[in-house]
Amino acid sequence: MKPLQRKWWVKTIRERNYFGFRYWWFNYLVLFSSIFLFILFFWTFENRDENTCLKKTNLSRNIHEIEAALDHCCTCNLPPRIPEDTFAVDCPDRILVFQVCNSNKVIDDNFDVYLNNTKIGQLDLNTSDLVGSVFIATTDRSILIKEGDFICPLSNMKVYYFDPHIVNFGKNKLFLKNTQNNRHDNKGSIEIRNYLIDGKTLIKPCKVKNLDYSMLSGNDFSTSFNYTRCCEN
């Protein structure tokens, strides 16, 4: 007699039942793994939405702050940006010059002169005359002043040269450090000019600032000036 031939799907069901009965623990493993993956998927999806929303909120806030800053920029009155390794104010055809002298013709003390905490020269004012020093903002010691624009004559001036890069855009500090007390108190002039360069000579000065110094004998003196353009006018 021919053995009974069962259909393929009956055999498949019986095989699956046998596998499930013999390896019952595998069924639980698949169940718990599915639950874990399901929870992990939805937790990640929700966090992703929250992070995306947070990023959009921060971006919107940053854009608003930038727009607000740009709206008020026209009233800032900020100085122009100064490129690195350039002179404080862009005056390529001019050189900055200081003169300090005892313009009242009375003996003053002697001083070391500092510009922005850098020594640029000295003052010997121990004479009842229009004496002092001139400080030229260049390292080229062959440069000479041809046309003076100072209270005190250039012939009575000691000349010093200094690196122009120590001059700041904006506020600059000038400090006179007392080195010798000559016991007549101190009063004189500080004049700042920008001279036009003509070969190796300086001509046609324009005014940057006029200052005065005044203090008792033996004292130091400190002042400051703003430098934002080549000439005052």
Side-chain angles (χ1 to χ4, degrees), residues 23-37:
Y23 301 100
W24 58 270
W25 53 267
F26 182 76
N27 296 326
Y28 287 104
L29 179 63
V30 172
L31 176 63
F32 290 124
S33 298
S34 300
I35 294 173
F36 174 77
L37 292 175

Side-chain angles (χ1 to χ4, degrees), residues 36-93:
F36 174 77
L37 292 175
F38 180 80
I39 295 173
L40 180 64
F41 172 78
F42 277 95
W43 180 80
T44 305
F45 184 79
E46 290 178 359
N47 284 347
R48 182 177 60 186
D49 287 344
E50 290 178 1
N51 291 336
T52 301
C53 182
L54 181 61
K55 289 180 181 178
K56 289 181 179 179
T57 302
N58 291 337
L59 180 60
S60 177
R61 185 184 300 112
N62 291 338
I63 292 174
H64 177 73
E65 291 175 354
I66 293 171
E67 289 177 346
L70 291 175
D71 288 341
H72 293 84
C73 187
C74 58
T75 61
C76 293
N77 195 27
L78 295 175
R81 181 180 178 273
I82 306 302
E84 294 182 359
D85 300 326
T86 60
F87 194 49
V89 178
D90 187 18
C91 308
D93 58 341

Side-chain angles (χ1 to χ4, degrees), residues 192-206:
I192 307 169
R193 300 290 184 267
N194 243 326
Y195 276 81
L196 194 65
I197 304 171
D198 181 24
K200 291 292 185 178
T201 60
L202 302 180
I203 62 174
K204 299 180 180 179
C206 67

Side-chain angles (χ1 to χ4, degrees), residues 145-210:
I145 300 174
K146 184 178 181 180
E147 300 175 4
D149 182 36
F150 298 115
I151 295 176
C152 299
L154 292 172
S155 57
N156 292 349
M157 296 295 106
K158 174 73 173 178
V159 179
Y160 293 93
Y161 299 86
F162 66 93
D163 187 350
H165 289 89
I166 69 174
V167 182
N168 295 329
F169 183 96
K171 186 176 180 180
N172 290 267
K173 180 182 177 182
L174 192 63
F175 180 66
L176 307 183
K177 180 177 176 58
N178 200 299
T179 57
Q180 180 174 309
N181 185 348
N182 295 322
R183 306 185 184 283
H184 288 80
D185 292 337
N186 298 280
K187 185 175 179 60
S189 63
I190 302 171
E191 297 171 293
I192 307 169
R193 300 290 184 267
N194 243 326
Y195 276 81
L196 194 65
I197 304 171
D198 181 24
K200 291 292 185 178
T201 60
L202 302 180
I203 62 174
K204 299 180 180 179
C206 67
K207 177 183 174 183
V208 176
K209 196 72 175 178
N210 284 340

Side-chain angles (χ1 to χ4, degrees), residues 100-190:
V100 184
C101 76
N102 59 343
S103 52
N104 62 353
K105 297 184 180 181
V106 177
I107 292 176
D108 285 348
D109 294 341
N110 295 350
F111 301 90
D112 286 338
V113 181
Y114 290 82
L115 177 62
N116 297 326
N117 301 316
T118 299
K119 184 178 178 180
I120 61 173
Q122 298 173 328
L123 287 170
D124 185 351
L125 307 178
N126 191 20
T127 305
S128 297
D129 200 356
L130 295 173
V131 296
S133 297
V134 168
F135 309 91
I136 305 176
T138 178
T139 54
D140 185 353
R141 295 179 176 272
S142 63
I143 296 290
L144 299 174
I145 300 174
K146 184 178 181 180
E147 300 175 4
D149 182 36
F150 298 115
I151 295 176
C152 299
L154 292 172
S155 57
N156 292 349
M157 296 295 106
K158 174 73 173 178
V159 179
Y160 293 93
Y161 299 86
F162 66 93
D163 187 350
H165 289 89
I166 69 174
V167 182
N168 295 329
F169 183 96
K171 186 176 180 180
N172 290 267
K173 180 182 177 182
L174 192 63
F175 180 66
L176 307 183
K177 180 177 176 58
N178 200 299
T179 57
Q180 180 174 309
N181 185 348
N182 295 322
R183 306 185 184 283
H184 288 80
D185 292 337
N186 298 280
K187 185 175 179 60
S189 63
I190 302 171

